[in-house]
Amino acid sequence: MAFNQELEAITQAFSGHGVDEKSLTTILGKWDPLERESYRKQTSNFFIEDHERQFQRWNDHCVRLLKHEFVRFKNAVVLWSMHPWERDARLAKEALKKGPSSYGVLIEIACTRSSEELLGARKAYHSLFDHSIEEDVASHIHSIDRKLLVALVSAYRYEGSKVKDDTAKSEAKTLSNAIKNDEKKPIIENDEVIRILATRSKPHLQAVYKHYKELSGKNLEEDLNDLRFKETVQCLCTPQVYFSKVLDEALRIDVDKNIKKSLTRVIVTRADIDMKEIKAEYNDLYGVSLPQKIEETAKGNYKDFLLTLIARGG
Amino acid sequence: MLHHSWGTNEGLIISILGHRNADQRKVIRETYSQTYGEDLLKALEKELTSDFERLVHLWTLESAERDAFLANEATKKWTSSNQVLVEIASTRSSDQLFSAKKAYHALYKKSLEEDVAHHTTGDFRKLLLLLVSSYRYEGDEVNLTLAKAEAKILHEKISNKAYNDDDLIRILATRSKAQINATLNHYKDAFGQDINKDLKADPKDEFLALLRSTVKCLIRPEKYFAKIIRLAINKRGTDEGALTRVVATRAEIDLKIIADEYQRRNSVPLDQAIVKDTTGDYEKMLLAILGHDDA
């Protein structure tokens, strides 16, 4: 390989999700000091030229970022081998600590897990953190979201298929009225809306979703202006669409590090649940296959690990 | 045998069921259903009369089913003076409460939370929904700094008569029992009175009554139970079924402690009070269950 091609390969090895350990070993590992100096001089976003003292030093910030990329594989492995209860408990705790930008993860856990899985997560939370998840959510969140979030993490929904269609119809109407009155009484404070979303079974909510569409012609989450409610409805009624969107956002270049982490989170937590359906939905929405997109955007061991997880179950 | 000559066999019911523990009652129920092709409870329902029947019915149910049944009844017949939901949510352990909710799914094809949310309103719903949804941490760890801070919050809200305040309700509904105990001890030290005295500002306010019951159920359940038994026996208040309910639900938990507390407060042993207040088969069954605890 000509040196320029090797340079390109190393640049590629460091861009995206994870790092291309193989290229680093076979290419960077064999470069002599002059080649490495060439690399440093030609990679100004990683190395700062100290003209006065005639050398190039690593940009500390980049080293920190690279650390995240190297460790992405390890984090995926650790998360994957965890008991799903511990996994969800730790994800929830982390989301709480990170603050409002991560509260979507709380909604994701509370709404896409089965009732028994969520109960398990609550048990694990007791064991790991000596508190209940609801006390921590209630005491750490002071914004308007609190009511909804506490209600969602405390839910223990009926899981049978029995649905009272009349009730679903009337609740679709209730939601419709609440949305129309949003200016007078903001939805985020509306107890009836929270009650419906936080206590009803998922099959029931699917029926409500259907009736709402018949009533107003639009999908429920389109009419909800509040981000949290949108996420809640998506997670409850159309989880594969929700996960596809999260994956799409995570698989872009140069995204925020928290968004980047959702790639690992979604794939690890859904690999054994509904990855097949998510792949299909992702393909429908974005016209490209998920494995292909991951092949393009992720690197090395991390990439191989994700692809293996996704390939499970067909 | 029970099946065929009911009228004269309440005694048999009492002696067979009254002295059996939960596992044994379960076996009896299963065997009955295999032998006669009918649920023992349905058979009993047809034959027995009100108080006695209800006691036998509750006693025969498994504890999770029993709590689910009582909770369901409470939501359907809910009034603002009804304490059963608070009682179940606050005196059971976290796992017992969850078992009850699981049984509720199986029995009623919905969740307890849906029914509570649907049948209650306003501040009551706020409190009750959070209480039944809780899955409290059960460890003994206590954070004293937090206890001090939250005692202060409680006192502030109560002084401002903000009884339905989000923080007040969240503290009572989500903190562990050990933590609440520490918080309320600190409350008394710092502010001079038990929180329940401060929550008595308006004796007629039913929401305040419910808050007081919540507190009592969380930290001194035996006192709560002894009190409602006393009120039921003296025919005061609206919770007439309390005697049946408490005896059936606490018999294998802390009925002995409740009976001791009852005697302490009323200078009369509970069994004597029962003999004085009830008659017939109902009385006999109550005493059998009460005595069974001693055995």
Side-chain angles (χ1 to χ4, degrees):
Chain A
M1 222 194 270
F3 185 68
N4 279 332
Q5 286 172 308
E6 293 187 340
L7 251 186
E8 181 56 30
I10 295 301
T11 307
Q12 280 307 310
F14 279 133
S15 35
H17 298 60
V19 296
D20 179 0
E21 292 92 348
K22 196 140 174 256
S23 295
L24 293 174
T25 309
T26 57
I27 299 178
L28 182 58
K30 78 158 177 62
W31 278 346
D32 61 37
L34 273 177
E35 285 168 318
R36 294 197 307 279
E37 183 174 49
S38 233
Y39 169 63
R40 287 193 297 272
K41 284 188 162 156
Q42 295 186 60
T43 313
S44 55
N45 56 328
F46 278 2
F47 299 94
I48 305 171
E49 188 86 53
D50 184 334
H51 292 288
E52 193 196 318
R53 297 177 189 79
Q54 302 278 314
F55 78 117
Q56 315 81 34
R57 41 173 283 248
W58 265 107
N59 177 332
D60 289 326
H61 179 63
C62 291
V63 176
R64 279 194 296 272
L65 288 181
L66 278 185
K67 186 178 116 179
H68 287 309
E69 296 312 327
F70 272 98
V71 113
R72 213 169 281 283
F73 175 53
K74 163 231 161 209
N75 288 338
V77 167
V78 169
L79 200 65
W80 174 245
S81 41
M82 252 185 218
H83 191 293
W85 294 355
E86 179 182 357
R87 196 187 287 156
D88 283 348
R90 288 200 185 274
L91 287 171
K93 181 71 160 172
E94 198 190 326
L96 255 185
K97 278 188 15 201
K98 287 220 169 100
S101 60
S102 295
Y103 291 165
V105 176
L106 288 172
I107 296 178
E108 183 181 304
I109 295 174
C111 298
T112 62
R113 307 324 189 224
S114 74
S115 292
E116 293 305 316
E117 286 166 350
L118 182 56
L119 171 57
R122 289 167 86 176
K123 286 189 179 156
Y125 199 97
H126 280 194
S127 165
L128 292 164
F129 306 115
D130 294 341
H131 285 107
S132 66
I133 197 176
E134 60 270 25
E135 66 180 294
D136 277 357
V137 171
S139 61
H140 283 83
I141 298 182
H142 301 288
S143 54
I144 307 184
D145 302 347
R146 171 158 97 173
K147 244 188 205 169
L148 175 67
L149 291 169
V150 172
L152 290 177
V153 299
S154 312
Y156 185 55
R157 298 173 201 265
Y158 170 60
E159 301 228 276
S161 50
K162 182 151 184 258
V163 166
K164 268 199 174 141
D165 208 50
D166 297 333
T167 313
K169 231 185 203 161
S170 101
E171 291 185 341
K173 194 111 211 306
T174 305
L175 289 175
S176 173
N177 291 338
I179 289 173
K180 292 196 186 114
N181 276 329
D182 189 33
E183 272 155 33
K184 282 187 232 142
K185 182 173 186 188
I187 290 229
I188 194 84
E189 307 245 88
N190 189 316
D191 285 336
E192 276 297 285
V193 175
I194 295 179
R195 161 185 82 74
I196 294 170
L197 292 180
T199 65
R200 290 301 187 198
S201 75
K202 289 179 188 178
H204 181 99
L205 288 170
Q206 304 274 12
V208 171
Y209 191 84
K210 187 188 85 184
H211 285 298
Y212 185 89
K213 180 124 195 217
E214 285 164 11
L215 252 182
S216 73
K218 313 240 303 275
N219 284 328
L220 178 55
E221 76 275 17
E222 288 163 22
D223 278 348
L224 287 165
N225 283 327
D226 181 276
L227 175 64
R228 303 286 175 230
F229 274 108
K230 259 195 193 350
E231 286 168 338
T232 303
V233 170
Q234 279 189 328
C235 285
L236 288 168
C237 302
T238 55
Q240 285 92 34
V241 173
Y242 167 81
F243 283 120
S244 297
K245 290 191 176 164
V246 173
L247 287 171
D248 174 64
E249 241 196 284
L251 283 165
R252 300 194 188 153
I253 322 282
D254 285 339
V255 280
D256 167 84
K257 72 171 182 206
N258 286 327
I259 296 183
K260 229 174 176 181
K261 279 179 105 166
S262 22
L263 180 60
T264 304
R265 183 183 78 244
V266 171
I267 298 203
V268 165
T269 58
R270 306 314 284 179
D272 281 330
I273 315 276
D274 54 359
M275 187 48 74
K276 200 154 167 227
E277 290 84 344
I278 293 175
K279 280 194 282 192
E281 187 64 52
Y282 184 91
N283 209 335
D284 278 346
L285 282 172
Y286 304 109
V288 61
S289 85
L290 183 58
Q292 193 188 325
K293 189 73 188 182
I294 291 182
E295 184 70 54
E296 288 166 16
T297 336
K299 303 277 176 235
N301 292 334
Y302 180 62
K303 175 192 77 174
D304 292 337
F305 193 67
L306 291 182
L307 289 175
T308 308
L309 294 186
I310 294 184
R312 293 158 67 81
Chain B
M1 38 163 198
L2 275 124
H3 185 72
H4 296 294
S5 46
W6 276 131
T8 54
N9 270 324
E10 278 90 343
L12 208 57
I13 294 175
I14 294 167
S15 67
I16 289 177
L17 292 175
H19 296 287
R20 297 290 180 277
N21 69 26
D23 287 333
Q24 291 166 326
R25 298 197 303 278
K26 186 171 177 195
V27 172
I28 291 174
R29 198 173 158 195
E30 282 165 358
T31 313
Y32 189 92
S33 135
Q34 278 162 16
T35 314
Y36 298 105
E38 190 183 12
D39 184 2
L40 175 58
L41 290 175
K42 285 238 156 30
L44 291 172
E45 214 176 277
K46 292 181 204 157
E47 300 294 336
L48 307 174
T49 56
S50 49
D51 283 328
F52 180 51
E53 176 216 323
R54 188 171 165 83
L55 180 57
V56 171
H57 180 166
L58 287 180
W59 181 241
T60 316
L61 286 171
E62 246 194 296
S63 64
E65 276 184 308
R66 187 188 301 144
D67 282 349
F69 172 79
L70 289 169
N72 179 256
E73 204 182 41
T75 59
K76 293 216 288 259
K77 297 199 275 177
W78 185 72
T79 62
S80 44
S81 61
N82 184 304
Q83 309 211 1
V84 175
L85 290 169
V86 162
E87 190 177 299
I88 294 176
S90 313
T91 62
R92 306 328 188 224
S93 75
S94 291
D95 282 326
Q96 283 169 340
L97 178 57
F98 244 94
S99 299
K101 292 201 284 190
K102 200 164 180 181
Y104 200 98
H105 283 191
L107 287 169
Y108 304 110
K109 312 286 184 253
K110 357 206 188 95
S111 68
L112 174 59
E113 294 87 328
E114 291 181 71
D115 277 349
V116 169
H118 192 63
H119 287 92
T120 62
T121 55
D123 293 338
F124 292 93
R125 178 203 279 183
K126 209 173 169 182
L127 175 66
L128 290 171
L129 195 49
L130 210 50
L131 283 177
V132 303
S133 308
S134 69
Y135 186 56
R136 295 178 202 261
Y137 173 65
E138 301 223 277
D140 298 321
E141 294 85 345
V142 161
N143 178 328
L144 287 174
T145 315
L146 186 63
K148 284 195 176 129
E150 294 194 331
K152 198 155 175 248
I153 295 176
L154 290 173
H155 187 253
E156 190 193 308
K157 304 299 177 182
I158 292 176
S159 306
N160 291 333
K161 297 206 193 302
Y163 304 118
N164 63 355
D165 177 84
D166 283 343
D167 277 321
L168 190 154
I169 292 183
R170 106 169 136 81
I171 291 171
L172 290 181
T174 66
R175 292 298 185 199
S176 73
K177 291 180 182 177
Q179 183 68 31
I180 290 178
N181 207 15
T183 303
L184 296 184
N185 282 340
H186 186 79
Y187 186 102
K188 184 161 184 184
D189 288 341
F191 305 111
Q193 291 217 93
D194 268 329
I195 194 174
N196 271 2
K197 289 232 163 52
D198 286 342
L199 284 172
K200 239 184 178 155
D202 178 2
K204 289 221 171 63
D205 184 325
E206 287 174 324
F207 185 67
L208 284 181
L210 215 57
L211 281 178
R212 295 197 301 274
S213 296
T214 305
V215 170
K216 244 182 171 163
C217 283
L218 287 169
I219 56 173
R220 298 276 181 275
E222 67 283 356
K223 278 191 161 164
Y224 165 83
F225 285 121
K227 180 171 182 187
I228 61 170
I229 288 181
R230 173 170 63 81
L231 293 174
I233 284 182
N234 297 347
K235 310 265 188 285
R236 298 198 11 228
T238 52
D239 192 4
E240 294 155 355
L243 181 59
T244 304
R245 186 177 76 241
V246 175
V247 169
T249 58
R250 308 309 287 179
E252 277 152 344
I253 316 269
D254 56 0
L255 192 53
K256 185 102 200 350
I257 302 178
I258 295 170
D260 289 343
E261 178 67 25
Y262 184 90
Q263 179 158 4
R264 216 176 58 80
R265 300 285 315 222
N266 304 294
S267 307
V268 166
L270 180 56
D271 49 11
Q272 262 185 51
I274 287 176
V275 167
K276 213 165 160 233
D277 186 58
T278 62
T279 58
D281 301 310
Y282 181 48
E283 174 195 317
K284 292 203 198 100
M285 187 72 177
L286 284 168
L287 293 174
I289 297 174
L290 191 60
H292 149 108
D293 229 33
D294 282 335

